[in-house]
Amino acid sequence: SYQPSDGFNFLKHWKNGRPKPGDELKPVVNLGLEEARAFCNFYGKRLPHSYEWQYAAQGSDGRLYPWGHTDVMDSTPGPGHDAVRIGEHPRGNSPFGLRDMVGNVWQYTDSFRDEHTRSVLLRGSSRYQPKVSEKFPSRAQSLNWYFPPARELNKHSKYFLMSNSYERAGTLGFRCAADVHGGAPEPYHYRQFDIEFV
Protein backbone atom coordinates (compact mmCIF):
# COMPACT_ATOMS: atom_id res chain seq x y z
CA SER A 1 0.00 0.00 0.00
CA TYR A 2 1.04 3.60 -0.58
CA GLN A 3 3.01 5.34 2.15
CA PRO A 4 4.08 8.95 1.56
CA SER A 5 7.65 10.02 2.23
CA ASP A 6 6.24 12.76 4.47
CA GLY A 7 3.35 11.23 6.40
CA PHE A 8 2.25 14.39 8.20
CA ASN A 9 -1.57 14.24 8.53
CA PHE A 10 -1.77 11.50 5.88
CA LEU A 11 -5.19 9.86 6.32
CA LYS A 12 -5.01 11.11 9.89
CA HIS A 13 -8.56 9.98 10.63
CA TRP A 14 -7.88 6.34 9.57
CA LYS A 15 -6.42 3.53 11.63
CA ASN A 16 -4.18 0.77 10.21
CA GLY A 17 -4.81 1.88 6.62
CA ARG A 18 -8.60 1.80 6.90
CA PRO A 19 -11.39 4.13 8.05
CA LYS A 20 -12.23 3.76 11.73
CA PRO A 21 -15.36 1.66 12.39
CA GLY A 22 -18.38 3.85 11.68
CA ASP A 23 -16.42 6.18 9.38
CA GLU A 24 -16.62 4.04 6.22
CA LEU A 25 -19.23 6.33 4.65
CA LYS A 26 -17.43 9.56 5.43
CA PRO A 27 -15.54 11.41 2.68
CA VAL A 28 -11.85 10.58 2.36
CA VAL A 29 -9.94 13.61 3.66
CA ASN A 30 -6.35 14.36 4.68
CA LEU A 31 -4.92 13.72 1.22
CA GLY A 32 -2.93 16.18 -0.86
CA LEU A 33 -3.97 17.05 -4.40
CA GLU A 34 -1.54 14.63 -6.06
CA GLU A 35 -2.58 11.86 -3.68
CA ALA A 36 -6.25 12.44 -4.53
CA ARG A 37 -5.37 12.34 -8.23
CA ALA A 38 -3.43 9.10 -7.74
CA PHE A 39 -6.39 7.55 -5.89
CA CYS A 40 -8.77 8.40 -8.74
CA ASN A 41 -6.25 7.23 -11.34
CA PHE A 42 -5.84 3.88 -9.56
CA TYR A 43 -9.55 3.27 -10.25
CA GLY A 44 -9.37 4.52 -13.86
CA LYS A 45 -10.89 7.87 -13.00
CA ARG A 46 -9.75 11.45 -12.43
CA LEU A 47 -10.67 14.55 -10.47
CA PRO A 48 -13.47 16.55 -12.08
CA HIS A 49 -12.88 19.86 -13.78
CA SER A 50 -14.55 22.75 -11.99
CA TYR A 51 -17.15 23.11 -14.76
CA GLU A 52 -17.95 19.38 -14.53
CA TRP A 53 -18.33 19.63 -10.77
CA GLN A 54 -20.67 22.59 -11.21
CA TYR A 55 -22.80 20.83 -13.82
CA ALA A 56 -23.05 17.72 -11.64
CA ALA A 57 -24.14 19.88 -8.69
CA GLN A 58 -26.36 22.30 -10.58
CA GLY A 59 -27.83 20.59 -13.62
CA SER A 60 -28.96 22.82 -16.49
CA ASP A 61 -31.52 25.09 -14.82
CA GLY A 62 -29.09 27.58 -13.24
CA ARG A 63 -30.07 26.80 -9.65
CA LEU A 64 -27.95 28.41 -6.95
CA TYR A 65 -27.80 25.27 -4.75
CA PRO A 66 -27.91 21.57 -5.65
CA TRP A 67 -31.43 21.33 -4.20
CA GLY A 68 -32.89 24.50 -5.74
CA HIS A 69 -32.83 28.27 -5.80
CA THR A 70 -32.99 29.07 -2.07
CA ASP A 71 -30.75 28.05 0.79
CA VAL A 72 -32.35 25.37 2.93
CA MET A 73 -30.25 24.74 6.02
CA ASP A 74 -31.26 21.10 6.61
CA SER A 75 -30.01 20.22 3.12
CA THR A 76 -26.45 20.05 4.44
CA PRO A 77 -24.75 19.10 7.70
CA GLY A 78 -24.75 21.79 10.34
CA PRO A 79 -21.54 23.58 11.33
CA GLY A 80 -18.86 21.41 12.89
CA HIS A 81 -15.31 20.27 12.39
CA ASP A 82 -15.31 16.68 11.13
CA ALA A 83 -16.98 15.44 7.97
CA VAL A 84 -20.20 13.48 8.40
CA ARG A 85 -21.35 10.34 6.61
CA ILE A 86 -22.38 10.82 3.00
CA GLY A 87 -26.11 10.69 2.31
CA GLU A 88 -27.45 11.87 5.67
CA HIS A 89 -29.06 14.93 4.04
CA PRO A 90 -30.97 13.67 0.98
CA ARG A 91 -32.75 17.03 0.55
CA GLY A 92 -29.35 18.34 -0.54
CA ASN A 93 -28.91 15.93 -3.45
CA SER A 94 -28.17 17.40 -6.87
CA PRO A 95 -30.58 17.04 -9.81
CA PHE A 96 -28.56 13.95 -10.79
CA GLY A 97 -28.82 12.45 -7.30
CA LEU A 98 -25.24 13.21 -6.26
CA ARG A 99 -24.94 13.54 -2.52
CA ASP A 100 -23.13 16.07 -0.38
CA MET A 101 -21.93 18.29 -3.18
CA VAL A 102 -22.14 21.21 -0.74
CA GLY A 103 -21.52 21.68 2.97
CA ASN A 104 -19.61 18.58 4.08
CA VAL A 105 -16.03 18.97 2.76
CA TRP A 106 -14.34 21.18 0.20
CA GLN A 107 -13.57 19.24 -2.99
CA TYR A 108 -10.55 19.42 -5.28
CA THR A 109 -11.18 20.35 -8.92
CA ASP A 110 -8.86 22.16 -11.37
CA SER A 111 -5.33 23.24 -10.52
CA PHE A 112 -3.38 26.00 -12.18
CA ARG A 113 -0.12 27.88 -11.83
CA ASP A 114 1.26 31.30 -12.59
CA GLU A 115 4.79 32.66 -12.40
CA HIS A 116 4.87 32.45 -8.61
CA THR A 117 2.28 30.03 -7.25
CA ARG A 118 0.33 26.82 -7.80
CA SER A 119 -3.30 26.68 -6.73
CA VAL A 120 -6.37 24.48 -6.90
CA LEU A 121 -10.02 25.49 -7.14
CA LEU A 122 -12.06 24.10 -4.28
CA ARG A 123 -15.80 23.64 -4.63
CA GLY A 124 -18.61 22.77 -2.28
CA SER A 125 -17.63 24.40 1.03
CA SER A 126 -17.14 22.48 4.26
CA ARG A 127 -19.02 22.37 7.51
CA TYR A 128 -16.07 23.92 9.36
CA GLN A 129 -16.89 27.57 10.10
CA PRO A 130 -14.46 29.00 12.64
CA LYS A 131 -15.28 32.23 14.38
CA VAL A 132 -12.99 35.16 15.06
CA SER A 133 -12.52 35.66 18.78
CA GLU A 134 -15.02 38.06 20.29
CA LYS A 135 -12.04 39.70 22.03
CA PHE A 136 -10.48 40.59 18.68
CA PRO A 137 -11.38 44.19 17.79
CA SER A 138 -12.82 43.82 14.27
CA ARG A 139 -16.10 43.91 12.44
CA ALA A 140 -17.89 40.65 12.99
CA GLN A 141 -16.08 37.84 11.22
CA SER A 142 -14.48 40.23 8.72
CA LEU A 143 -11.02 38.82 9.42
CA ASN A 144 -11.88 35.13 9.44
CA TRP A 145 -8.62 33.40 8.50
CA TYR A 146 -10.30 30.36 7.00
CA PHE A 147 -12.27 30.13 3.77
CA PRO A 148 -15.64 31.82 3.99
CA PRO A 149 -18.49 29.41 3.27
CA ALA A 150 -19.27 28.95 -0.43
CA ARG A 151 -22.47 26.94 -0.43
CA GLU A 152 -23.69 28.71 -3.56
CA LEU A 153 -22.73 26.93 -6.79
CA ASN A 154 -21.43 30.12 -8.38
CA LYS A 155 -18.68 30.38 -5.74
CA HIS A 156 -15.38 28.61 -5.12
CA SER A 157 -12.23 29.02 -3.09
CA LYS A 158 -8.60 29.01 -4.15
CA TYR A 159 -6.12 26.92 -2.20
CA PHE A 160 -2.39 27.46 -2.58
CA LEU A 161 -0.44 24.28 -3.25
CA MET A 162 2.94 23.56 -1.71
CA SER A 163 3.27 19.87 -0.88
CA ASN A 164 1.01 16.94 -0.09
CA SER A 165 1.73 17.29 3.62
CA TYR A 166 0.75 20.97 3.55
CA GLU A 167 -2.43 20.31 1.54
CA ARG A 168 -3.79 17.54 3.78
CA ALA A 169 -6.76 18.79 5.77
CA GLY A 170 -9.73 17.23 7.49
CA THR A 171 -12.03 19.68 5.72
CA LEU A 172 -10.80 18.93 2.19
CA GLY A 173 -11.78 15.89 0.17
CA PHE A 174 -12.50 14.93 -3.41
CA ARG A 175 -14.71 12.92 -5.70
CA CYS A 176 -13.69 11.06 -8.82
CA ALA A 177 -15.09 11.44 -12.32
CA ALA A 178 -14.85 9.12 -15.30
CA ASP A 179 -15.26 9.74 -18.99
CA VAL A 180 -17.94 7.57 -20.54
CA HIS A 181 -16.58 4.99 -22.97
CA GLY A 182 -17.07 6.33 -26.48
CA GLY A 183 -18.08 9.77 -25.23
CA ALA A 184 -16.55 13.07 -26.26
CA PRO A 185 -13.11 13.75 -24.77
CA GLU A 186 -12.57 16.33 -22.05
CA PRO A 187 -12.60 19.30 -21.78
CA TYR A 188 -16.12 20.61 -22.37
CA HIS A 189 -17.75 17.25 -22.94
CA TYR A 190 -20.35 17.93 -20.24
CA ARG A 191 -22.62 19.49 -22.84
CA GLN A 192 -23.08 16.05 -24.34
CA PHE A 193 -24.01 14.49 -20.97
CA ASP A 194 -21.26 11.91 -21.10
CA ILE A 195 -19.60 12.01 -17.72
CA GLU A 196 -20.25 9.93 -14.63
CA PHE A 197 -19.45 10.94 -11.06
CA VAL A 198 -18.95 8.62 -8.13
Side-chain angles (χ1 to χ4, degrees):
S1 76
Y2 171 76
Q3 289 298 318
S5 57
D6 179 353
F8 180 74
N9 275 350
F10 178 71
L11 295 175
K12 177 179 165 183
H13 60 296
W14 284 21
K15 197 167 212 138
N16 300 322
R18 303 188 59 77
K20 294 176 190 170
D23 286 355
E24 296 89 347
L25 295 178
K26 289 185 178 182
V28 176
V29 295
N30 290 310
L31 288 178
L33 176 63
E34 293 307 321
E35 293 164 335
R37 283 181 174 155
F39 179 93
C40 292
N41 188 56
F42 181 81
Y43 290 98
K45 300 175 182 0
R46 59 179 172 75
L47 294 176
H49 294 290
S50 183
Y51 64 84
E52 292 171 327
W53 186 96
Q54 182 155 345
Y55 181 73
Q58 187 174 52
S60 58
D61 64 5
R63 60 185 58 201
L64 194 55
Y65 303 94
W67 53 86
H69 296 284
T70 58
D71 195 3
V72 179
M73 293 312 289
D74 67 348
S75 296
T76 62
H81 188 271
D82 294 328
V84 299
R85 290 187 310 204
I86 296 168
E88 291 188 348
H89 296 83
R91 276 188 74 182
N93 289 358
S94 82
F96 300 109
L98 276 78
R99 301 174 181 159
D100 296 302
M101 294 293 288
V102 171
N104 200 0
V105 296
W106 289 100
Q107 298 165 43
Y108 288 123
T109 62
D110 291 308
S111 63
F112 54 95
R113 68 177 60 229
D114 61 25
E115 294 176 18
H116 308 286
T117 60
R118 293 182 322 123
S119 301
V120 64
L121 293 179
L122 302 180
R123 302 299 302 263
S125 203
S126 79
R127 56 190 301 253
Y128 184 55
Q129 297 174 20
K131 303 290 183 192
V132 174
S133 169
E134 297 300 324
K135 296 176 185 175
F136 191 77
S138 71
R139 289 179 283 136
Q141 304 309 310
S142 63
L143 297 177
N144 190 339
W145 60 270
Y146 194 71
F147 301 125
R151 294 164 49 96
E152 299 86 356
L153 298 175
N154 60 356
K155 293 183 179 178
H156 67 271
S157 282
K158 178 180 168 182
Y159 192 51
F160 289 107
L161 301 172
M162 293 185 197
S163 68
N164 281 323
S165 63
Y166 172 81
E167 297 154 21
R168 296 177 191 135
T171 57
L172 178 54
F174 64 99
R175 60 182 67 228
C176 300
D179 296 311
V180 174
H181 180 71
E186 61 165 322
Y188 309 117
H189 54 266
Y190 68 96
R191 293 187 179 134
Q192 289 134 6
F193 308 102
D194 56 1
I195 186 164
E196 295 177 335
F197 282 83
V198 293

